[in-house]
Amino acid sequence: MKTINRAVRSPGGLSIRLDVRAFIVVLVLLAAALTASVVLIGTGDFPIPAADVLRTLFGQGNEGQEFIVNELRLPRVLVGLLVGASLGLGGALFQSISRNPLGSPDVLGLGQGATAGALTMIVLFSGDANQVALGALVGGLVTGLAIYVLAWKRGVHGYRLVLVGIGVSAIVTAVNGYLLTKSDIVDAARAVVWMTGSLDGRDWDQVWPLLGLCAVLVPLALCNARGLRMMEMGDDVSYALGVRVERVRLLLMVAAVLLTASATAAAGPVSFVALTAPQLARRLTRSPGPNLLPSLCMGAALLVTADWLSQRAFGAEQLPVGVVTGVLGGVYLLWLLVTERRAGRI
């Protein structure tokens, strides 16, 4: 299917360029994410058919179904959707800003920074779940600020951003190891479970803050997609086209850091989603540019599907979702390496 662009004009004269293939991909990914969510809500020790899940979501279920669906399973699925969407969008922003497919939060050290904040609250202060989430958010923001400051030299450029991020990631990983060695056995076990990345026990307390941040940051990122796409052609060209490059770059980096840190605070450092979702979305749309909305939808679909696999694909053993995304992400990278080598590009 070839990329088809159409110009859509509103009655007021506003013209919007519509990439038909990308639009179809977004619709398919949304349908996949919602379908996986309904299946996941119906999965568990008390299975519920998909039709009953839908009836319950629309307020027509019995008392038992209302409790299981709305109180136990729906918050976990919503957290999974929001975390996946946040990681997918954050990864797309970082990869576009750095102009490097490896420029994702996993590689740049934002996940490790958020982990350091969470470990500090667990090991040094024995914090509760809310304090750990706050520590993860602060840790991610401080790490993002440090990367930006260290990478600044008359602007922030792609390879320097990636290299500084890798260095910061190595330092913060060492700090995390030190914090683990200083903790007692109970705190260490709790920290390791959190560091794996999991959606177990998530409730409405995690849904609302994450939903509020996404309601602000997602429109902000999408409204600046045009400037971000121009920036991929180079700063000089962007300046010539009227883009305020450093302002847009800083604004979108702050948005990406907040999205990644908030997702990590809600579910722990779920690996590879931010790295693979934008690349898979770009392969489906075959469209240049940041592909922000397809990456968001791909991240949501990937995470809820991985959560279903973590609960059902291994028999009675339920794995943390971070283990499944790590395996799938590793397989994807190996496949990508083999494909690029066969094509003679590496």
Side-chain angles (χ1 to χ4, degrees):
M1 180 179 177
K2 295 182 180 180
T3 300
I4 301 175
N5 295 324
R6 295 184 183 276
V8 180
R9 294 185 180 274
S10 69
L14 178 65
S15 178
I16 301 174
R17 189 177 64 86
L18 177 64
D19 186 331
V20 176
R21 183 186 178 97
F23 180 72
I24 293 173
V25 168
V26 167
L27 292 181
V28 171
L29 289 175
L30 280 175
L34 294 176
T35 301
S37 298
V38 171
V39 173
L40 184 56
I41 290 173
T43 297
D45 294 333
F46 298 95
I48 302 175
D52 290 340
V53 170
L54 292 174
R55 278 196 293 268
T56 304
L57 290 174
F58 285 102
Q60 299 177 0
N62 59 45
E63 185 175 345
Q65 291 172 339
E66 292 275 354
F67 176 74
I68 292 173
V69 170
N70 295 329
E71 298 300 325
L72 299 181
R73 297 179 183 173
L74 180 59
R76 173 180 177 142
V77 171
L78 289 176
V79 171
L81 287 170
L82 291 170
V83 167
S86 299
L87 292 175
L89 180 57
L93 289 171
F94 271 115
Q95 289 178 25
S96 182
I97 290 171
S98 64
R99 303 171 203 163
N100 190 320
L102 293 179
S104 78
D106 298 318
V107 177
L108 296 179
L110 293 175
Q112 290 84 347
T115 300
L119 288 180
T120 300
M121 299 305 299
I122 293 173
V123 174
L124 300 183
F125 301 102
S126 298
D128 58 24
N130 291 330
Q131 292 170 331
V132 171
L134 179 60
L137 184 61
V138 172
L141 291 174
V142 170
T143 305
L145 177 62
I147 293 171
Y148 186 84
V149 170
L150 293 173
W152 174 270
K153 185 179 180 182
R154 295 190 298 274
V156 175
H157 300 283
Y159 284 104
R160 187 162 62 243
L161 181 68
V162 173
L163 290 174
V164 169
I166 291 173
V168 171
S169 176
I171 294 172
V172 178
T173 300
V175 171
N176 292 342
Y178 172 77
L179 289 172
L180 282 176
T181 62
K182 301 301 291 184
S183 62
D184 59 39
I185 188 66
V186 175
D187 286 339
R190 182 184 172 198
V192 169
V193 171
W194 188 89
M195 290 170 63
T196 305
S198 175
L199 296 173
D200 289 343
R202 299 304 184 265
D203 57 26
W204 291 104
D205 289 339
Q206 284 82 40
V207 172
W208 298 120
L210 193 55
L211 182 61
L213 277 172
C214 288
V216 174
L217 297 175
V218 171
L220 176 66
L222 295 180
C223 288
N224 285 276
R226 179 176 176 272
L228 186 61
R229 183 168 185 169
M230 291 181 179
M231 285 164 54
E232 291 188 345
M233 297 185 291
D235 288 0
D236 293 338
V237 174
S238 301
Y239 278 121
L241 293 173
V243 178
R244 303 176 70 175
V245 174
E246 286 306 324
R247 179 180 176 180
V248 172
R249 182 180 287 128
L250 177 60
L251 185 66
L252 292 180
M253 279 193 65
V254 170
V257 169
L258 282 171
L259 286 166
T260 304
S262 60
T264 305
V270 179
S271 59
F272 280 110
V273 174
L275 178 65
T276 58
Q279 297 185 31
L280 290 174
R282 189 173 292 110
R283 286 176 176 272
L284 289 177
T285 62
R286 299 180 188 174
S287 175
N291 285 279
L292 298 183
L293 191 56
S295 298
L296 181 152
C297 298
M298 176 63 76
L302 280 178
L303 195 55
V304 292
T305 302
D307 193 30
W308 180 85
L309 289 173
S310 72
Q311 295 185 49
R312 308 306 299 173
F314 302 95
E317 296 293 330
Q318 291 193 12
L319 297 179
V321 70
V323 174
V324 177
T325 59
V327 171
L328 295 177
V331 170
Y332 168 76
L333 288 180
L334 288 175
W335 172 81
L336 184 62
L337 178 63
V338 171
T339 302
E340 295 292 303
R341 184 175 181 181
R342 287 178 176 174
R345 288 189 284 267
I346 58 174

